[in-house]
Amino acid sequence: MLSAHYTGSGGKYESYLQRVYKYLHQYPELSAEEYETQRFIENELQKLHIPYRKMANTGLCAEIHGEQPGKTILLRSDIDALPVTEQTNLEYVSKNEGAMHACGHDAHITVGLGVGAFVQERKGDLKGTVKIMFQPSEEVHPGGAFRMIEEGVLENPKVDAAICVHTNPYLLPGQFEVKDG
């Protein structure tokens, strides 16, 4: 594994990202029940003027097309929660009894929307397309990814590369890891 450390302060996106994360953490929804989560993401994408389409019942795929031709990259963010009752003292504790973003999908959605905001603001410099896949039902088999693939998330334009992020509680804030190769 390769590790790196980001020392930025979050800049102008920091308060936006914190607001999004805390809201999502408070309102987790289980697999195939992510209707309010989908509505929240949809509203944020509309505010950011990012086109999207609904997929796999409760999922979405946002697309930001650059001003110049190029390849297409996909960022996957899963959106469902686990059937866990939260037992923390967070000020933004889950308000949905029996559901919790215990595995970081609230952070994944936040990253997807943050990347979307960043790329949309700079799409004049973008060569190609960025797709942001907000995948439902990651925690159950067969999962929402299969349905999104069947519905064409990897096509029109064809995806050349995909990035699938996940959180890791063993890393300090600002650190990330990638696998060799």
Side-chain angles (χ1 to χ4, degrees):
M1 299 294 247
L2 301 173
S3 294
H5 185 75
Y6 172 72
T7 57
S9 65
K12 72 183 208 174
Y13 299 105
E14 187 169 5
S15 63
Y16 173 73
L17 297 172
Q18 287 177 359
R19 177 185 64 79
V20 166
Y21 173 79
K22 288 178 180 180
Y23 176 85
L24 291 165
H25 190 85
Q26 289 179 83
Y27 299 102
E29 295 177 296
L30 301 178
S31 297
E33 298 175 10
E34 308 100 328
Y35 296 102
E36 292 303 316
T37 303
Q38 182 189 53
R39 191 170 293 119
F40 177 83
I41 296 166
E42 187 174 9
N43 288 335
E44 292 301 312
L45 292 171
Q46 288 171 358
K47 289 179 202 172
L48 296 167
H49 306 286
I50 299 174
Y52 63 90
R53 63 182 166 134
K54 294 181 180 181
M55 302 183 80
N57 198 34
T58 53
L60 300 109
C61 181
E63 287 189 24
I64 303 167
H65 300 278
E67 301 290 326
Q68 302 170 49
K71 297 194 179 230
T72 299
I73 190 165
L74 178 136
L75 171 66
R76 186 204 69 145
S77 299
D78 32 13
I79 67 172
D80 55 339
L82 291 170
V84 173
T85 298
E86 184 165 359
Q87 297 178 357
T88 71
N89 294 321
L90 294 172
E91 64 185 55
Y92 49 91
V93 67
S94 171
K95 294 181 180 182
N96 291 345
E97 186 64 34
M100 178 185 178
H101 277 299
C103 58
H105 295 185
D106 45 359
H108 301 178
I109 302 165
T110 303
V111 168
L113 289 170
V115 167
F118 181 83
V119 173
Q120 177 71 355
E121 189 174 273
R122 292 160 179 81
K123 71 180 186 177
D125 298 324
L126 179 64
K127 294 178 181 176
T129 300
V130 174
K131 289 185 176 185
I132 305 169
M133 175 183 174
F134 295 96
Q135 178 199 322
S137 303
E138 189 266 346
E139 295 294 345
V140 296
H141 186 74
F146 290 106
R147 188 160 168 206
M148 291 184 82
I149 291 168
E150 288 173 352
E151 292 178 18
V153 74
L154 300 177
E155 304 300 327
N156 302 315
K158 182 182 176 297
V159 171
D160 296 294
I163 300 171
C164 304
V165 297
H166 214 285
T167 57
N168 183 335
Y170 304 108
L171 296 175
L172 297 172
Q175 289 183 330
F176 66 94
E177 288 183 333
V178 295
K179 290 185 178 182
D180 289 329

